[in-house]
Amino acid sequence: MITIPLVNLARQYQKLAPEIDRAIHDTCTRADFILGRAVTAFESAFAEYLGVRHCVGVASGTDALHLILRALGIGAGDEVILPANTFIATAQAVWCAGAIPVLVDCDEKTATIDVAAVEAAVTSRTRAIVPVHLYGQPADMNPIAALARERGLQIVEDAAQAHGAAYRGRKCGTLGVAAAFSFYPGKNLGAYGDGGAITTNDDGLAEELRLLRNLGSSAKYVHTRMGFNSRLDSIQAAILAVKLPHLDAWNERRRELADRYRSALGGTAARLQPIEHAPWTSRHACHLFVVRSVDGHRDPIVQALLARGIGVGVHYPIPIHQQEGFNREVHGEYSFPVTERLASQIFSLPLCPDLRDDEVDVVLEELGAALDAAMAMPPA
Ligand SMILES: *Cc1c(COP(=O)(O)O)cnc(C)c1O
């Protein structure tokens, strides 16, 4: 049977193996495993790539968000607005900081945060907005920035899916007071384990974050405040430094593959609609290629494709406000029609830079067959 995974990380490693193996070997030889030379080198390289003053490597994207909020002094009693349509880590990071995650619905066409809903959710307790550049597409930052200015709020970008994306010519990760990146293996820039980074142009915030990620330590055994153990490993940083120079070409290939899907799906537009490219998106990082099945057949289509070895996914099947772990008594009872509708209709097709053109053809062929089979069934 054919197998086309959602993301083919094994194929990427095959191509980079000599360089990556050497980078791991060099780190082991130096034995500077914690905050070693590779971490500093990668932080400089990533800051330079984005054109920001500081990059602080941390243990994960979730920690990156959590530590930014802490460094901004956001905590108990403070409200932080974020989209309901995101990976749950965005909300959990707010919870980690002791603040209240306030969810809002998303825009039907782009699936990114609904700016009018953000405006309606601002209260006297609101301290920050966390726009998520979902699926690699920037959130609409200009109106969010205007609102934040007017109401005195911080903007913390969740750029976990948006390495290399740009909003009206400006790179994601440079558009708020600070941004959180994840290097989870499947992300556009992925480590071989957990990892994350914070980018910021604020010198004081960067200094505070360097303390917070390392148990408040300003020098060995000198702790100027209480903090966390949340460092990016040297081995992960060394791997990321090998991959970073490939990021733009990989994203270019992702866009090419997404265009291929998009034009092929044109004919079936009534039944399958790709999430739209927003007019403000000058560079889409194409982290995921997400389509909507509008006629109530998403689940049988997904099941049929999985049964044929096509690694489709759903991002995300259960919205945050409907998760068992999300405490409704504390955080409120929500209903978000757009997010809920998307959760029941969307699925993601295989997409990664190492996906071959002939594999896209196979995916499209299998997708056509799955759509035809679903057509013969009554809608769910
Ligand atoms: C992956 C992801 C995170 C969390 O990153 P981790 O490194 O897994 O902690 C946060 N937000 C979004 C939108 C993500 O996709």
Side-chain angles (χ1 to χ4, degrees), residues 178-193:
F181 285 90
S182 165
F183 304 125
Y184 183 85
K187 301 288 160 85
N188 288 33
L189 181 62
Y192 286 175

Side-chain angles (χ1 to χ4, degrees), residues 282-295:
S282 42
R283 222 168 325 131
H284 199 311
C286 293
H287 174 59
L288 292 167
F289 188 80
V290 178
V291 295
R292 283 178 81 171
S293 164
V294 291
D295 57 5

Side-chain angles (χ1 to χ4, degrees), residues 60-62 86-87 89-90 132 158 160-161 182-184 187 194-195 316:
S60 71
T62 309
T86 176
F87 181 52
T90 319
V132 179
D158 182 337
Q161 303 189 357
S182 165
F183 304 125
Y184 183 85
K187 301 288 160 85
D194 279 306
Y316 297 89

Side-chain angles (χ1 to χ4, degrees), residues 117-174:
V118 175
E119 192 159 6
V122 175
T123 73
S124 57
R125 289 181 301 277
T126 308
R127 295 284 314 279
I129 305 168
V130 184
V132 179
H133 307 310
L134 196 70
Y135 311 145
Q137 166 144 278
D140 191 4
M141 297 301 287
N142 281 351
I144 294 172
L147 176 67
R149 246 189 329 270
E150 192 184 303
R151 306 295 298 260
L153 310 175
Q154 303 282 7
I155 296 177
V156 177
E157 296 175 81
D158 182 337
Q161 303 189 357
H163 318 69
Y167 172 82
R168 300 192 190 279
R170 295 158 65 209
K171 276 190 178 161
C172 291
T174 69

Side-chain angles (χ1 to χ4, degrees), residues 54-107:
H54 305 280
C55 168
V56 180
V58 294
S60 71
T62 309
D63 277 7
L65 285 169
H66 165 212
L67 295 182
I68 293 168
L69 295 172
R70 291 255 176 194
L72 290 170
I74 294 172
D78 296 331
E79 294 179 356
V80 176
I81 299 174
L82 64 131
N85 188 33
T86 176
F87 181 52
I88 196 161
T90 319
Q92 295 209 9
V94 175
W95 174 83
C96 284
I100 303 158
V102 174
L103 306 179
V104 298
D105 212 344
C106 65
D107 171 64

